[in-house]
Amino acid sequence: MPTTQALLVIDYTNDFVADQGALTCGQPGQQLAPAIVSLAEQMRSNGDWVLLPTDVHTPNDPYHPESQLFPPHNVRDSWGRELYGPLKDWYNDHQTETTVWQFDKTRYSSFAGTDLDLRLRERHVDSLHLVGVCTDICVLHTAVDAYNLGYQLVIHENAVASFDPVGHAWALRHFKNTLGATIV
Ligand code: ZN
């Protein structure tokens, strides 16, 4: 039987998490590392898909809307775009496995302009577990698209974070009350 679950580890990179990151969530983001790595390992060893949608940008791209909103971040081949801390080690150990893959995204949603939906449908995945950052930006936009495409959602409260505690709390309510997500 093919697996029907996938874990999406969203934007858990130095720029979004580390102290020196360009758009860091800081301590709330850093403290997620053990829970994220533990869940990735649990799902990998269970035969589930572990996907790592990762923002990628060209600095000061005049056509990209985020150039007006945020400083340069997650620039291709930069330190800022590397996975943070122990997740980097975990990914290095497992990146050649069929069920583990990292892919580029250029917008908040992991579905925008990517082949994620096609890949999930090919694999008969109907349930998505979301972790990473930021709860109220890239996790939120990914969850909204997933909801509209008909996926069941599980949000791991101890494995999502934001630089904005009000936005974080609002997004958790929105996942549950508006997107029908299970919060665990
Ligand atoms: Zn971005």
Side-chain angles (χ1 to χ4, degrees):
M1 272 295 286
T3 179
T4 59
Q5 296 194 104
L7 173 68
L8 300 189
V9 182
I10 298 168
D11 283 340
Y12 202 65
T13 65
N14 288 328
D15 267 345
F16 289 114
V17 179
D19 282 337
Q20 306 304 318
L23 281 178
T24 189
C25 293
Q27 181 64 27
Q30 292 159 19
Q31 69 188 16
L32 311 179
I36 289 177
V37 171
S38 163
L39 187 61
E41 181 54 24
Q42 182 189 321
M43 290 189 70
R44 185 198 71 85
S45 58
N46 194 43
D48 296 319
W49 304 95
V50 179
L51 317 183
L52 299 100
T54 307
D55 221 16
V56 65
H57 292 293
T58 303
N60 306 311
D61 176 354
Y63 301 105
H64 197 293
E66 285 179 36
S67 299
Q68 308 301 319
L69 295 167
F70 300 112
H73 61 278
N74 268 38
V75 173
R76 190 181 296 282
D77 298 325
S78 69
W79 168 85
R81 192 170 183 261
E82 292 176 14
L83 296 169
Y84 175 77
L87 183 66
K88 181 181 179 183
D89 299 329
W90 182 88
Y91 178 72
N92 286 341
D93 288 345
H94 300 294
Q95 60 180 318
T96 59
E97 295 171 27
T98 313
T99 57
V100 175
W101 86 82
Q102 184 178 28
F103 64 94
D104 295 347
K105 68 181 183 68
T106 64
R107 293 298 191 273
Y108 306 137
S109 171
S110 305
F111 291 94
T114 73
D115 65 355
L116 176 59
D117 184 50
L118 284 173
R119 295 238 212 173
L120 293 172
R121 287 180 195 283
E122 285 170 345
R123 290 157 177 78
H124 307 287
V125 172
D126 56 16
S127 176
L128 300 180
H129 294 247
L130 304 189
V131 300
V133 297
C134 301
T135 320
D136 50 337
I137 305 181
C138 289
V139 179
L140 173 70
H141 284 254
T142 297
V144 170
D145 278 351
Y147 169 84
N148 286 324
L149 291 164
Y151 294 95
Q152 295 295 311
L153 288 167
V154 180
I155 313 290
H156 293 257
E157 190 170 4
N158 68 339
V160 292
S162 175
F163 58 91
D164 176 355
V166 175
H168 171 80
W170 176 85
L172 285 172
R173 288 198 306 277
H174 189 79
F175 297 142
K176 180 170 187 282
N177 298 334
T178 309
L179 303 182
T182 302
I183 311 293
V184 296

